[in-house]
Amino acid sequence: MSANSPESPAPFAGLEIVLVKAGRTKIRYPAELLADDGDRVTVRAPWAGEGVRDFGFVRFEPGDVFTEYYWRDRWYAVKEVRDAEGVLKGWYCDITRPATVSATELVVEDLDLDLWLSGDGTAVLRLDEDEFAASGLATTDPVAAAAAENALDELELLARSGDFEDLLT
């Protein structure tokens, strides 16, 4: 079974993924730990949302499987999304502070910016730039704001150049 395979043992276990936004826990869910090389942590988890979430460009729904990549030294997380049959929907990238990992939790702080890359590579969308601007991070933590903007630019460049999947190998 490859790290990109939608197959996984049940039940999902290993780490709790904790996504924090504006000082509050936005979501917490269990994930199966696939790998941890000291820099990057890879986990797999089923869609943790309630019901269907339709973004217009992609729908996340029960049965979807997320293979998620988190870095301790990078300002983003990449989530490969496959449907219940294993068909690649694409990659949802959260711009976050670098992950912190303990024996039981992986915690990231969402910085509002996101990027979507469709599975066929034809759609590269920068998302939530208005939320990022409204967050005030540029004023309260300009260093973090610059790192977030640079991370979004880096991911967009990789997505448009066709080198995106190299990031995950």
Side-chain angles (χ1 to χ4, degrees):
M1 175 170 64
S2 75
N4 293 327
S5 169
E7 302 166 1
S8 63
F12 287 88
L15 283 178
E16 283 277 310
I17 306 302
V18 182
L19 182 64
V20 176
K21 187 171 182 177
R24 296 189 190 113
T25 298
K26 181 177 174 183
I27 190 168
R28 171 187 291 270
Y29 56 92
E32 173 192 4
L33 177 63
L34 299 177
D36 183 351
D37 67 8
D39 292 322
R40 185 179 78 189
V41 178
T42 307
V43 301
R44 185 178 298 121
W47 165 239
E50 303 245 347
V52 174
R53 177 113 188 247
D54 190 340
F55 290 94
F57 52 88
V58 66
R59 287 170 48 104
F60 296 159
E61 52 203 335
D64 286 352
V65 177
F66 288 65
T67 302
E68 304 177 2
Y69 303 85
Y70 297 92
W71 286 264
R72 289 175 174 92
D73 62 349
R74 297 185 190 184
W75 288 72
Y76 52 79
V78 176
K79 299 170 182 178
E80 180 184 275
V81 185
R82 292 180 180 269
D83 69 16
E85 288 75 45
V87 176
L88 178 64
K89 291 184 175 187
W91 295 270
Y92 195 91
C93 307
D94 284 322
I95 305 304
T96 66
R97 290 184 189 271
T100 59
V101 184
S102 71
T104 59
E105 290 184 333
L106 182 148
V107 180
V108 290
E109 182 183 349
D110 185 343
L111 299 177
D112 293 310
L113 293 171
D114 302 293
L115 183 96
W116 170 254
L117 172 59
S118 62
D120 63 7
T122 60
V124 178
L125 306 172
R126 292 172 70 107
L127 306 169
D128 302 328
E129 290 179 293
D130 55 338
E131 287 180 34
F132 178 74
S135 76
L137 190 65
T139 302
T140 60
D141 191 343
V143 172
E149 291 170 328
N150 289 338
L152 183 62
D153 291 343
E154 176 186 340
L155 289 170
E156 182 181 20
L157 180 63
L158 288 169
R160 294 192 184 282
S161 70
D163 295 329
F164 188 82
E165 289 184 77
D166 293 344
L167 179 64
L168 309 177
T169 57

